[in-house]
PDB file of all heavy atoms in Angstrom:
ATOM      1  N   LYS A 235      87.238  -3.470  -5.560  1.00 86.00           N
ATOM      2  CA  LYS A 235      86.448  -3.984  -6.675  1.00 86.00           C
ATOM      3  C   LYS A 235      87.305  -4.425  -7.857  1.00 86.00           C
ATOM      4  O   LYS A 235      86.810  -5.108  -8.766  1.00 86.00           O
ATOM      5  CB  LYS A 235      85.435  -2.926  -7.143  1.00 86.00           C
ATOM      6  CG  LYS A 235      84.256  -2.748  -6.199  1.00 86.00           C
ATOM      7  CD  LYS A 235      83.202  -1.837  -6.799  1.00 86.00           C
ATOM      8  CE  LYS A 235      81.978  -1.743  -5.905  1.00 86.00           C
ATOM      9  NZ  LYS A 235      80.940  -0.854  -6.484  1.00 86.00           N
ATOM     10  N   SER A 236      88.579  -4.045  -7.851  1.00 86.00           N
ATOM     11  CA  SER A 236      89.445  -4.408  -8.973  1.00 86.00           C
ATOM     12  C   SER A 236      89.626  -5.918  -9.074  1.00 86.00           C
ATOM     13  O   SER A 236      90.000  -6.428 -10.131  1.00 86.00           O
ATOM     14  CB  SER A 236      90.808  -3.724  -8.839  1.00 86.00           C
ATOM     15  OG  SER A 236      91.500  -4.201  -7.695  1.00 86.00           O
ATOM     16  N   PHE A 237      89.340  -6.647  -8.003  1.00 87.00           N
ATOM     17  CA  PHE A 237      89.468  -8.112  -8.044  1.00 87.00           C
ATOM     18  C   PHE A 237      88.568  -8.707  -9.121  1.00 87.00           C
ATOM     19  O   PHE A 237      88.920  -9.706  -9.760  1.00 87.00           O
ATOM     20  CB  PHE A 237      89.104  -8.705  -6.682  1.00 87.00           C
ATOM     21  CG  PHE A 237      89.207 -10.198  -6.630  1.00 87.00           C
ATOM     22  CD1 PHE A 237      90.444 -10.817  -6.496  1.00 87.00           C
ATOM     23  CD2 PHE A 237      88.084 -11.001  -6.744  1.00 87.00           C
ATOM     24  CE1 PHE A 237      90.552 -12.197  -6.474  1.00 87.00           C
ATOM     25  CE2 PHE A 237      88.180 -12.372  -6.715  1.00 87.00           C
ATOM     26  CZ  PHE A 237      89.407 -12.975  -6.580  1.00 87.00           C
ATOM     27  N   LEU A 238      87.421  -8.074  -9.356  1.00 86.00           N
ATOM     28  CA  LEU A 238      86.479  -8.592 -10.359  1.00 86.00           C
ATOM     29  C   LEU A 238      87.091  -8.594 -11.754  1.00 86.00           C
ATOM     30  O   LEU A 238      86.677  -9.383 -12.614  1.00 86.00           O
ATOM     31  CB  LEU A 238      85.189  -7.751 -10.357  1.00 86.00           C
ATOM     32  CG  LEU A 238      84.392  -7.748  -9.040  1.00 86.00           C
ATOM     33  CD1 LEU A 238      83.248  -6.746  -9.117  1.00 86.00           C
ATOM     34  CD2 LEU A 238      83.863  -9.148  -8.744  1.00 86.00           C
ATOM     35  N   ASN A 239      88.069  -7.738 -11.984  1.00 87.00           N
ATOM     36  CA  ASN A 239      88.683  -7.654 -13.311  1.00 87.00           C
ATOM     37  C   ASN A 239      89.498  -8.891 -13.658  1.00 87.00           C
ATOM     38  O   ASN A 239      89.844  -9.098 -14.826  1.00 87.00           O
ATOM     39  CB  ASN A 239      89.595  -6.417 -13.394  1.00 87.00           C
ATOM     40  CG  ASN A 239      88.826  -5.130 -13.197  1.00 87.00           C
ATOM     41  OD1 ASN A 239      87.634  -5.039 -13.518  1.00 87.00           O
ATOM     42  ND2 ASN A 239      89.482  -4.112 -12.661  1.00 87.00           N
ATOM     43  N   TYR A 240      89.830  -9.705 -12.653  1.00 87.00           N
ATOM     44  CA  TYR A 240      90.681 -10.872 -12.890  1.00 87.00           C
ATOM     45  C   TYR A 240      89.879 -12.172 -12.957  1.00 87.00           C
ATOM     46  O   TYR A 240      90.444 -13.229 -13.176  1.00 87.00           O
ATOM     47  CB  TYR A 240      91.744 -10.957 -11.787  1.00 87.00           C
ATOM     48  CG  TYR A 240      92.618  -9.722 -11.765  1.00 87.00           C
ATOM     49  CD1 TYR A 240      92.296  -8.640 -10.943  1.00 87.00           C
ATOM     50  CD2 TYR A 240      93.728  -9.621 -12.594  1.00 87.00           C
ATOM     51  CE1 TYR A 240      93.080  -7.495 -10.931  1.00 87.00           C
ATOM     52  CE2 TYR A 240      94.516  -8.475 -12.586  1.00 87.00           C
ATOM     53  CZ  TYR A 240      94.186  -7.417 -11.757  1.00 87.00           C
ATOM     54  OH  TYR A 240      94.952  -6.288 -11.762  1.00 87.00           O
ATOM     55  N   ILE A 241      88.569 -12.065 -12.756  1.00 88.00           N
ATOM     56  CA  ILE A 241      87.710 -13.239 -12.876  1.00 88.00           C
ATOM     57  C   ILE A 241      87.407 -13.494 -14.347  1.00 88.00           C
ATOM     58  O   ILE A 241      87.231 -12.551 -15.140  1.00 88.00           O
ATOM     59  CB  ILE A 241      86.401 -13.028 -12.087  1.00 88.00           C
ATOM     60  CG1 ILE A 241      86.720 -12.848 -10.589  1.00 88.00           C
ATOM     61  CG2 ILE A 241      85.442 -14.193 -12.270  1.00 88.00           C
ATOM     62  CD1 ILE A 241      85.504 -12.556  -9.743  1.00 88.00           C
ATOM     63  N   HIS A 242      87.355 -14.735 -14.744  1.00 89.00           N
ATOM     64  CA  HIS A 242      87.077 -15.113 -16.131  1.00 89.00           C
ATOM     65  C   HIS A 242      85.773 -14.451 -16.592  1.00 89.00           C
ATOM     66  O   HIS A 242      84.769 -14.458 -15.859  1.00 89.00           O
ATOM     67  CB  HIS A 242      86.961 -16.639 -16.236  1.00 89.00           C
ATOM     68  CG  HIS A 242      87.034 -17.152 -17.633  1.00 89.00           C
ATOM     69  ND1 HIS A 242      86.001 -17.000 -18.539  1.00 89.00           N
ATOM     70  CD2 HIS A 242      88.022 -17.822 -18.296  1.00 89.00           C
ATOM     71  CE1 HIS A 242      86.335 -17.558 -19.678  1.00 89.00           C
ATOM     72  NE2 HIS A 242      87.569 -18.056 -19.564  1.00 89.00           N
ATOM     73  N   PRO A 243      85.764 -13.865 -17.795  1.00 88.00           N
ATOM     74  CA  PRO A 243      84.564 -13.171 -18.294  1.00 88.00           C
ATOM     75  C   PRO A 243      83.305 -14.030 -18.258  1.00 88.00           C
ATOM     76  O   PRO A 243      82.199 -13.508 -18.067  1.00 88.00           O
ATOM     77  CB  PRO A 243      84.947 -12.802 -19.733  1.00 88.00           C
ATOM     78  CG  PRO A 243      86.434 -12.738 -19.724  1.00 88.00           C
ATOM     79  CD  PRO A 243      86.885 -13.771 -18.753  1.00 88.00           C
ATOM     80  N   GLU A 244      83.456 -15.341 -18.427  1.00 90.00           N
ATOM     81  CA  GLU A 244      82.287 -16.213 -18.418  1.00 90.00           C
ATOM     82  C   GLU A 244      81.753 -16.474 -17.008  1.00 90.00           C
ATOM     83  O   GLU A 244      80.633 -16.978 -16.856  1.00 90.00           O
ATOM     84  CB  GLU A 244      82.629 -17.555 -19.081  1.00 90.00           C
ATOM     85  CG  GLU A 244      82.956 -17.440 -20.569  1.00 90.00           C
ATOM     86  CD  GLU A 244      83.362 -18.774 -21.162  1.00 90.00           C
ATOM     87  OE1 GLU A 244      83.278 -19.787 -20.450  1.00 90.00           O
ATOM     88  OE2 GLU A 244      83.771 -18.799 -22.339  1.00 90.00           O
ATOM     89  N   ASP A 245      82.536 -16.111 -15.983  1.00 90.00           N
ATOM     90  CA  ASP A 245      82.132 -16.374 -14.601  1.00 90.00           C
ATOM     91  C   ASP A 245      81.742 -15.124 -13.833  1.00 90.00           C
ATOM     92  O   ASP A 245      81.061 -15.207 -12.808  1.00 90.00           O
ATOM     93  CB  ASP A 245      83.272 -17.063 -13.840  1.00 90.00           C
ATOM     94  CG  ASP A 245      83.657 -18.392 -14.451  1.00 90.00           C
ATOM     95  OD1 ASP A 245      82.797 -19.008 -15.098  1.00 90.00           O
ATOM     96  OD2 ASP A 245      84.825 -18.808 -14.285  1.00 90.00           O
ATOM     97  N   VAL A 246      82.178 -13.955 -14.309  1.00 88.00           N
ATOM     98  CA  VAL A 246      82.057 -12.744 -13.503  1.00 88.00           C
ATOM     99  C   VAL A 246      80.606 -12.326 -13.281  1.00 88.00           C
ATOM    100  O   VAL A 246      80.240 -11.848 -12.192  1.00 88.00           O
ATOM    101  CB  VAL A 246      82.884 -11.593 -14.121  1.00 88.00           C
ATOM    102  CG1 VAL A 246      82.265 -11.116 -15.442  1.00 88.00           C
ATOM    103  CG2 VAL A 246      83.035 -10.455 -13.132  1.00 88.00           C
ATOM    104  N   VAL A 247      79.735 -12.504 -14.271  1.00 89.00           N
ATOM    105  CA  VAL A 247      78.335 -12.104 -14.110  1.00 89.00           C
ATOM    106  C   VAL A 247      77.655 -12.928 -13.031  1.00 89.00           C
ATOM    107  O   VAL A 247      76.974 -12.402 -12.139  1.00 89.00           O
ATOM    108  CB  VAL A 247      77.573 -12.241 -15.451  1.00 89.00           C
ATOM    109  CG1 VAL A 247      76.079 -11.968 -15.248  1.00 89.00           C
ATOM    110  CG2 VAL A 247      78.140 -11.274 -16.482  1.00 89.00           C
ATOM    111  N   GLU A 248      77.849 -14.248 -13.098  1.00 90.00           N
ATOM    112  CA  GLU A 248      77.246 -15.127 -12.096  1.00 90.00           C
ATOM    113  C   GLU A 248      77.866 -14.876 -10.718  1.00 90.00           C
ATOM    114  O   GLU A 248      77.181 -14.979  -9.692  1.00 90.00           O
ATOM    115  CB  GLU A 248      77.452 -16.596 -12.500  1.00 90.00           C
ATOM    116  CG  GLU A 248      76.648 -17.577 -11.681  1.00 90.00           C
ATOM    117  CD  GLU A 248      75.148 -17.356 -11.802  1.00 90.00           C
ATOM    118  OE1 GLU A 248      74.695 -16.924 -12.872  1.00 90.00           O
ATOM    119  OE2 GLU A 248      74.442 -17.616 -10.797  1.00 90.00           O
TER     120      GLU A 248
END
Side-chain angles (χ1 to χ4, degrees):
K235 286 188 176 180
S236 65
F237 180 78
L238 298 173
N239 298 331
Y240 300 92
I241 298 177
H242 195 287
E244 295 177 6
D245 299 334
V246 69
V247 174
E248 191 61 32

